[in-house]
């Protein structure tokens, strides 16, 4: 008799579980996703593929297509923000349980349990943080995103949208502005800072709050060391690396040419030119020297071309 009741109870529980799962499945499938096309600024490129000039998007934010990204940065990012990113389906139950337990134990929210996919969901909708309704919406959108995009596409959205202080968005704009270099070749210290900044971009800006930025960077380095992403010697050396003191201006070589090309291009275009960036810098320097001390209306122009091909350099 008891065995029969147990079997009946198990069948009821299983039925309820299947019904709940079916309801969840329909709920996720009915999710209306925000637009997934993220606008990026127009770029004018030199003959070697480097950036001559970039333009912000329509609302004035610096957001560029990610391009190549240092694999060390991606390894640090997932180790710090979402260790099971490659395995979960948008929500990490273990991270949620850990965050809930920490909140109960300490009487305050210590970590939010958000996955990278949930962060992308919030960034796509510019949604609220710290509110339960906002968190539930992030969960729903994250589950729907994982059904419609692969992990590489979700990571690509994060690399475009993550905030890095002021009007900087995305890893490439951040790397150019804070370090004056592409995101493809970051030092461990630079990568760690760019992992830490999006969590609190206004309060961790290294040009305004260097101590907060340093502390956040060093926490990322400690987590990366514990996860085996970097070794102890690398982490120790990275902690001694100075922080950037100010934002750097974006490249603006060949200003007349790039302005003309940028005006006629579709937003987000990458326009190739034959300009040699090294020669262009030298030519601009020589032209500036030529008019130094001359009347205000004086101007100078230099044109350097490859005599074999006719290409303007």
């Amino acid at each position: 008799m008891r065995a029969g009741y147990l079997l009946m109870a198990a069948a009821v529980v299983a039925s309820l579980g299947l019904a709940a799962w079916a309801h969840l499945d329909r709920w996720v499938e009915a999710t209306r996703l925000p637009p997934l096309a993220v606008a990026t600024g127009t770029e004018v490129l030199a003959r070697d593929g480097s950036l001559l000039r970039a333009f912000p998007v329509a609302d004035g934010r610096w957001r560029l297509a990610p391009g190549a990204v240092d694999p060390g940065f991606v390894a640090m990012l997932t180790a710090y923000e979402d260790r099971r990113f490659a395995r979960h389906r948008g929500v990490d139950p273990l991270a949620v349980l850990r965050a809930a337990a920490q909140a109960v134990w300490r009487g305050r929210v210590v970590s939010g349990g958000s996955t990278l996919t949930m962060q992308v969901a919030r960034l796509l909708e510019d949604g609220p943080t710290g509110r339960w309704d906002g968190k539930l919406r992030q969960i729903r959108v994250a589950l729907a995103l994982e059904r419609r995009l692969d992990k590489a596409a979700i990571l690509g959205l994060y690399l475009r949208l993550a905030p890095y202080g002021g009007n900087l968005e995305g890893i490439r704009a951040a790397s150019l502005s804070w370090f004056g270099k592409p995101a493809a070749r970051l030092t461990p210290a630079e990568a760690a800072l760019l992992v830490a900044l999006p969590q609190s971009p206004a309060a961790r800006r290294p040009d305004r709050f260097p101590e907060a930025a340093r502390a956040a960077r060093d926490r990322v380095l400690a987590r990366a060391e514990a996860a085996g992403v970097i070794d102890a010697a690398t982490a120790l050396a990275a902690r001694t690396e100075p922080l950037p003191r100010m934002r750097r201006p974006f490249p603006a070589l060949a200003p007349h040419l790039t302005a003309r090309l940028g005006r006629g291009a579709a937003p987000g275009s990458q326009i190739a030119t034959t300009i040699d960036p090294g020669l262009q810098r030298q030519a601009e320097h020589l032209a500036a020297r030529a008019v130094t001390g001359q009347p205000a209306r004086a101007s100078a122009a230099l044109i350097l071309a490859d005599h074999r091909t006719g290409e303007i350099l």
Side-chain angles (χ1 to χ4, degrees):
M1 181 71 71
R2 181 176 298 176
Y5 283 130
L6 289 175
L7 287 172
M8 185 181 298
V12 170
V13 169
S15 297
L16 290 174
L18 288 172
W21 180 262
H23 180 73
L24 175 65
D25 184 71
R26 290 193 298 270
W27 181 66
V28 173
E29 195 61 33
T31 304
R32 177 171 294 183
L33 288 175
L36 301 181
V38 177
T40 55
T42 300
E43 303 175 32
V44 183
L45 306 178
R47 68 189 298 117
D48 62 359
S50 63
L51 193 62
L52 285 178
R53 187 174 183 179
F55 296 87
V57 295
D59 61 5
R61 302 186 200 193
W62 287 104
R63 187 194 302 134
L64 304 174
V69 178
D70 190 286
F73 167 81
V74 176
M76 278 193 193
L77 175 68
T78 52
Y80 192 78
E81 290 281 7
D82 192 351
R83 287 181 296 167
R84 286 174 285 276
F85 174 66
R87 301 194 298 276
H88 66 64
R89 300 302 300 166
V91 177
D92 185 350
L94 294 177
V96 172
L97 289 173
R98 184 186 68 246
Q102 289 174 337
V104 170
W105 181 257
R106 302 193 185 186
R108 60 186 176 87
V109 176
V110 177
S111 63
S114 291
T115 62
L116 284 173
T117 313
M118 289 172 63
Q119 292 180 48
V120 167
R122 177 176 59 81
L123 292 168
L124 283 169
E125 298 188 323
D126 197 18
T129 57
R131 287 170 39 184
W132 285 110
D133 57 343
K135 187 66 70 175
L136 183 61
R137 173 63 183 170
Q138 290 169 31
I139 289 172
R140 183 176 187 178
V141 173
L143 291 170
L145 282 172
E146 292 272 353
R147 292 188 177 194
R148 302 179 197 184
L149 300 176
D150 61 22
K151 293 291 186 178
I154 291 168
L155 181 61
L157 286 171
Y158 181 87
L159 296 176
R160 281 173 170 80
L161 289 167
Y164 286 96
N167 62 344
L168 291 176
E169 288 189 359
I171 181 67
R172 186 152 164 253
S175 184
L176 286 168
S177 186
W178 289 121
F179 305 119
K181 62 195 290 190
R185 48 185 184 88
L186 298 168
T187 69
E190 292 166 348
L193 179 62
L194 295 183
V195 169
L197 266 175
Q199 293 183 350
S200 188
R204 294 178 178 177
R205 282 185 56 159
D207 57 338
R208 297 181 180 177
F209 306 103
E211 292 308 314
R214 183 180 300 279
R217 180 197 70 179
D218 290 353
R219 285 194 294 273
V220 174
L221 289 169
R223 182 80 62 83
E225 181 186 351
V229 174
I230 57 175
D231 58 31
T234 300
L236 181 63
R239 291 187 187 96
T240 67
E241 192 169 308
L243 295 168
R245 296 183 178 181
M246 64 183 68
R247 283 177 51 169
R248 299 167 184 252
F250 283 85
L253 288 170
H256 297 297
L257 171 67
T258 53
R260 177 169 60 82
L261 293 174
R263 279 195 301 269
S269 299
Q270 290 189 324
I271 306 164
T273 72
T274 60
I275 298 296
D276 181 304
L279 288 177
Q280 180 66 33
R281 289 187 184 91
Q282 294 179 55
E284 290 184 15
H285 178 66
L286 288 172
R289 284 179 56 188
V291 298
T292 299
Q294 300 298 320
R297 291 180 178 272
S299 62
L302 296 171
I303 297 179
L304 306 179
D306 186 326
H307 69 89
R308 295 163 300 181
T309 64
E311 291 180 338
I312 303 300
L313 304 178

